[in-house]
Amino acid sequence: MPAPECEHDLPAERLFFALWPDDALRHHIVQCRDTLAVDSDGGRLVSAENLHLTLAFLGRMDIRQRACVEAMADTIQCRSFELQLNRFGYWPRPRVLWIAPAEMPGALISLAADLHAGAGSCGLKLDARPYRAHVTLIRKLAHPPQNANCPSLIWSVDRFVLVRSRTLPQGVEYEVLREWVLGEESFEG
Ligand code: ATP
Ligand code: MG
């Protein structure tokens, strides 16, 4: 007799909240990356369509947990904001080269913090390390580049998305499942 279905059998998916560049910004990020003086054994380039900025990594979740985080995301209050990607960095342990804003806009800090707190209220245990906003450009890069110099990339952020991540033999595949549009930018300071 087949085992009765129980909630532990719900299929799980690996999900995360992210900022998702439009095609023009993806193109500019790739152009900027192409100017970097990296070694010829230049690591694994993140494909243009996979470039993103993670807001909150949720990990494996079933459909019930997903419903909870989606309902939580519906309640997020955040204005549109501008992000300047103008700082390169390299993490030696994962050998990751990234680009990030030198200054974190308050709206980005609150958005990420609210999503982390909201995910916690859905019973998820997120990574406790401090949040480090970044866009990964190259993985498994043996040495940081000699120079990293391109004009600051301006990102007008007016939405955030929920993404499913799947590891396939040919590499990771991301699929945007839903998006939430942010409020109009306030000009009152
Ligand atoms: P792969 O793991 O197949 O190499 P990936 O790291 O891009 O690819 P995921 O592991 O699904 O794919 O991660 C999705 C996003 O969430 C990436 O931006 C990744 O850096 C980030 N991420 C993954 N794990 C964590 C974590 N524990 N804390 C914070 N961010 C994470
Ligand atoms: Mg990973």
Side-chain angles (χ1 to χ4, degrees):
M1 203 168 76
E5 278 198 13
C6 73
E7 62 184 35
H8 302 294
D9 291 325
L10 290 173
E13 306 178 307
R14 194 157 84 239
L15 302 183
F16 62 102
F17 285 112
L19 301 182
W20 211 244
D22 64 17
D23 288 346
L25 180 59
R26 284 178 196 285
H27 180 68
H28 288 129
I29 295 172
V30 168
Q31 273 186 329
C32 176
R33 181 176 62 189
D34 287 347
T35 68
L36 300 175
V38 292
D39 284 353
S40 48
D41 61 339
R44 256 193 306 128
L45 301 182
V46 174
S47 64
E49 71 268 18
N50 276 1
L51 293 165
H52 67 278
L53 185 150
T54 298
L55 292 166
F57 180 76
L58 304 169
R60 284 178 69 77
M61 307 173 47
D62 63 34
I63 46 171
R64 236 172 274 186
Q65 293 168 311
R66 174 172 160 188
C68 183
V69 294
E70 288 195 33
M72 174 278 289
D74 289 339
T75 70
I76 294 280
Q77 304 264 345
C78 181
R79 297 271 175 209
S80 304
F81 58 94
E82 192 172 88
L83 205 55
Q84 289 202 36
L85 299 176
N86 50 4
R87 176 179 169 224
F88 290 94
Y90 177 75
W91 287 325
R93 214 158 55 111
R95 294 184 289 154
V96 158
L97 178 76
W98 45 262
I99 191 166
E103 284 184 27
M104 286 273 285
L108 172 58
I109 296 171
S110 324
L111 177 58
D114 290 352
L115 290 171
H116 278 82
S121 71
C122 287
L124 300 173
K125 289 206 170 41
L126 269 51
D127 197 322
R129 289 174 297 180
Y131 175 63
R132 300 281 305 270
H134 67 281
V135 177
T136 296
L137 300 175
I138 308 180
R139 294 175 191 277
K140 309 286 178 219
L141 182 63
H143 307 284
Q146 302 299 311
N147 67 21
N149 199 3
C150 65
S152 144
L153 297 158
I154 312 288
W155 191 347
S156 295
V157 178
D158 66 353
R159 65 200 62 215
F160 68 93
V161 298
L162 179 66
V163 185
R164 173 169 55 211
S165 165
R166 280 193 290 206
T167 307
L168 305 176
Q170 62 271 30
V172 70
E173 179 192 79
Y174 301 137
E175 184 186 347
V176 173
L177 301 172
R178 260 193 78 177
E179 67 174 28
W180 287 263
V181 174
L182 302 177
E184 295 288 311
E185 195 166 0
S186 165
F187 294 100
E188 290 161 26

